[in-house]
Amino acid sequence: MSRRELREQLFKLLFRVEFNSLEDMSEQERLFFEDEETAKDEDAGYISDKYHKIQQKLSEIDGQLNERTEGWDTTRMSKVDLTILRLAVYEINYDDSVPTGVAINEAVILAKKFGQDASSSFVNGILAKFA
């Protein structure tokens, strides 16, 4: 898979956090990989590893988002936008293998694909505060 495809699969797995308790996420992760026939072993390992790293930092990432947004907090954001932002903030602040500009650009692409009409602008505006 390309990095963009891996990021999209990671987004789909991370999105499940919004609908399941953290205790249920191990089962959700298992179901995700059963459903995603395209994920080869090395791709599944990459997705799973990065998902767990993000999951461990969720409260920190949400805190950083809440500090940088005016009039918005993570409880008011759409679940799609929040998931995209969490992934991008993780990549910006904790993943040295992803340049900041790439993380922002890829987040905007995800927002255009999965979000509402204004999602890409919203995501880009918030992530600009992290750049």
Side-chain angles (χ1 to χ4, degrees), residues 52-67:
H52 286 285
K53 289 177 180 176
I54 295 170
Q55 187 184 44
Q56 291 173 349
K57 301 276 187 192
L58 278 181
S59 61
E60 277 180 56
I61 292 168
D62 286 356
Q64 292 169 16
L65 285 167
N66 288 330
E67 287 173 8

Side-chain angles (χ1 to χ4, degrees), residues 26-74:
S26 60
E27 178 68 11
Q28 286 299 313
E29 184 178 1
R30 185 187 64 73
L31 292 171
F32 174 81
F33 287 113
E34 283 179 6
D35 292 344
E36 295 301 323
E37 297 171 4
T38 58
K40 294 183 174 83
D41 288 340
E42 70 268 3
D43 294 336
Y46 173 86
I47 293 166
S48 181
D49 182 55
K50 195 162 183 176
Y51 160 74
H52 286 285
K53 289 177 180 176
I54 295 170
Q55 187 184 44
Q56 291 173 349
K57 301 276 187 192
L58 278 181
S59 61
E60 277 180 56
I61 292 168
D62 286 356
Q64 292 169 16
L65 285 167
N66 288 330
E67 287 173 8
R68 288 178 172 86
T69 55
E70 295 176 25
W72 287 93
D73 64 29
T74 54

